[in-house]
């Protein structure tokens, strides 16, 4: 199996290319990077069959629409997005197949109500891999103060992720410090947001972050509701 | 074995943390990131025993000196650097041990005369890993127009790297496009600089790049000759 992490420095977004037996999936692709994705797919001789977003992003514009136009891939958002432009929507527990492998969609609301993680189950000597979107970040979690964000729901989503085996690799949707990966055990022990006493303390912590809105929010959210082609 | 890629967005530098049996190595650490490294080492319960640079950098200041001051690690440069401040210098073929694993230093002059790659030989199911510094970049190679750069020497160094097994993972010293890893087979097939007919064509290509000097060059090179503590 092939796994490539790709970084968009403008929005500090990580995108992921996964492939098995020549069939590829892109998670959270960024529109500005379209040519790079097409080049990499061509050079690695991969057929893109799926392009999926972990949620409706507020900080960058998705490449889902452009990828569907440029390749034969199907594009997918979580069903809670209400997307009208995607090829399909997925729900909690749905398996997304590429080659002989499957990603399992986990509905993990909190950052947004349409937030998902994707779990690639363990296989052979390879630990499970969690593409955690903006739900679980390295030593952080996605803000919950807009787009139907809900810190109480996010706490429940995070508890669900923490029940995964400790060696599960965590591949986040962003990192602003240049860290690239973590694990469930590492986040359970060292993520400051997971050290609070209970859900009430978590809600209080998240409600007091008082972050500025993302620069691109007023542009990105409507554009992403049109699969990046609005 | 643990392997973490870390990114400095200011200089687009990749640093690498490797560890085995609690003993850690940092390759190409960046001075501005010192606190992050110390935090990560503490959280992962690792003892830093080595901090090594692939060459005397011109675009960022090394953390080698500060890491040696803050931990019990030994700091190392290639012997061609003429370093007076490092704990030791390494030469071609030298094994650098951490835990039960070894990095093998490969002298690969061209970008600078003190350029090295570090090879982590294959073990079990794990392919060999090459930390390729600025010698081999993803779809590129390090410029050769200053600091005793030599495009003819670099061609020979690249040929040596290309003789490694095709599945050897390539971890570069930089990437400006957000790509994070490659392999020897992939670079052999798709790196434009490796598609030229012969050494003469390579020298001509490199001599005609006409790149501006790195912004930090006049500061970084003397600072790095003092292990980042000048």
């Amino acid at each position: 199996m092939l796994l490539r992490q790709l970084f968009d420095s403008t929005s500090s977004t990580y995108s992921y290319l996964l492939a098995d037996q020549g069939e590829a999936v892109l998670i959270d692709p960024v529109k500005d990077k379209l040519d790079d994705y097409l080049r990499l797919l061509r050079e690695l001789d991969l057929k893109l069959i799926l392009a999926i977003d972990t949620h409706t992003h507020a900080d960058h514009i998705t490449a889902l629409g452009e990828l569907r136009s440029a390749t034969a891939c199907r594009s997918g958002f979580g069903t809670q997005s209400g997307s009208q432009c995607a090829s399909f929507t997925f729900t909690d527990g749905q398996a997304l197949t590429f080659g002989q492998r499957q990603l399992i969609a986990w509905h993990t609301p909190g950052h947004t109500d349409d937030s998902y993680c994707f779990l690639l189950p363990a296989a052979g000597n390879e630990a499970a891999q969690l593409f955690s979107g903006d739900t679980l970040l390295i030593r952080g979690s996605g803000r919950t103060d807009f787009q139907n964000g809900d810190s109480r729901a996010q706490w429940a989503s995070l508890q669900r992720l923490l029940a995964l085996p400790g060696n599960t690799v965590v591949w986040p949707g962003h990192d602003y410090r240049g860290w690239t990966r973590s694990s469930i055990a590492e986040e359970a022990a060292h993520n400051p947001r997971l050290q609070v006493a209970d859900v009430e303390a978590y809600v209080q912590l998240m409600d007091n972050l008082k972050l500025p809105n993302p620069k691109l929010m007023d542009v990105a959210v409507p554009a992403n509701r049109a699969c990046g082609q609005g």
Side-chain angles (χ1 to χ4, degrees), chain A:
Chain A
M1 220 217 47
L2 177 141
L3 165 56
R4 290 284 168 90
Q5 185 177 44
L6 302 161
F7 185 63
D8 171 49
S9 58
T10 307
S11 59
S12 296
T13 297
Y14 287 124
S15 307
Y16 297 92
L17 173 67
L18 286 75
D20 187 57
Q21 300 194 331
E23 293 189 346
V25 182
L26 271 165
I27 299 176
D28 288 336
V30 174
K31 187 172 181 173
D32 286 348
K33 299 283 187 182
L34 178 69
D35 290 345
D36 273 356
Y37 303 139
L38 297 177
R39 175 184 176 180
L40 189 55
L41 289 163
R42 189 172 61 243
E43 290 180 349
L44 298 178
D45 197 20
L46 297 174
K47 181 182 175 190
L48 186 69
I49 64 162
L50 279 175
I52 50 181
D53 269 8
T54 52
H55 62 289
T56 305
H57 298 284
D59 60 350
H60 69 266
I61 299 178
T62 182
L64 256 62
E66 298 296 338
L67 284 166
R68 193 172 66 163
S69 297
T71 72
C73 81
R74 298 173 71 225
S75 59
F77 277 107
T79 185
Q80 291 79 4
S81 68
S83 178
Q84 300 296 311
C85 57
S87 311
F88 73 108
T89 60
F90 45 79
T91 59
D92 188 58
Q94 189 165 335
L96 306 170
T97 300
F98 61 105
Q100 295 294 310
R101 304 297 298 267
Q102 292 190 319
L103 284 168
I104 311 299
W106 282 33
H107 184 216
T108 50
H111 173 60
T112 63
D113 59 350
D114 68 347
S115 285
Y116 276 75
C117 297
F118 301 111
L119 180 70
L120 184 74
N125 290 323
E126 180 193 300
Q129 320 268 326
L130 180 72
F131 302 90
S132 61
D134 290 9
T135 301
L136 178 59
L137 302 174
I138 301 177
R139 312 298 192 262
S141 59
R143 60 192 295 174
T144 54
D145 56 338
F146 57 70
Q147 266 183 284
N148 302 316
D150 181 333
S151 47
R152 198 169 294 273
Q154 191 173 55
W155 173 264
S157 295
L158 290 167
Q159 300 314 306
R160 193 176 167 202
L161 299 182
L162 289 174
L164 285 164
N167 70 344
T168 302
V169 182
V170 172
W171 296 103
H174 294 282
D175 195 84
Y176 302 95
R177 190 194 286 120
W179 293 14
T180 54
R181 59 185 282 181
S182 184
S183 71
I184 289 292
E186 193 177 319
E187 292 310 310
H190 301 297
N191 188 320
R193 300 209 179 150
L194 302 178
Q195 311 309 313
V196 297
D198 56 21
V199 60
E200 300 307 330
Y202 187 74
V203 169
Q204 191 173 4
L205 188 163
M206 296 304 286
D207 288 355
N208 287 314
L209 291 179
K210 304 202 189 308
L211 301 166
N213 279 346
K215 282 181 226 150
L216 268 184
M217 183 173 173
D218 294 340
V219 175
V221 173
N224 289 332
R225 289 190 174 131
C227 292
Q229 294 181 307

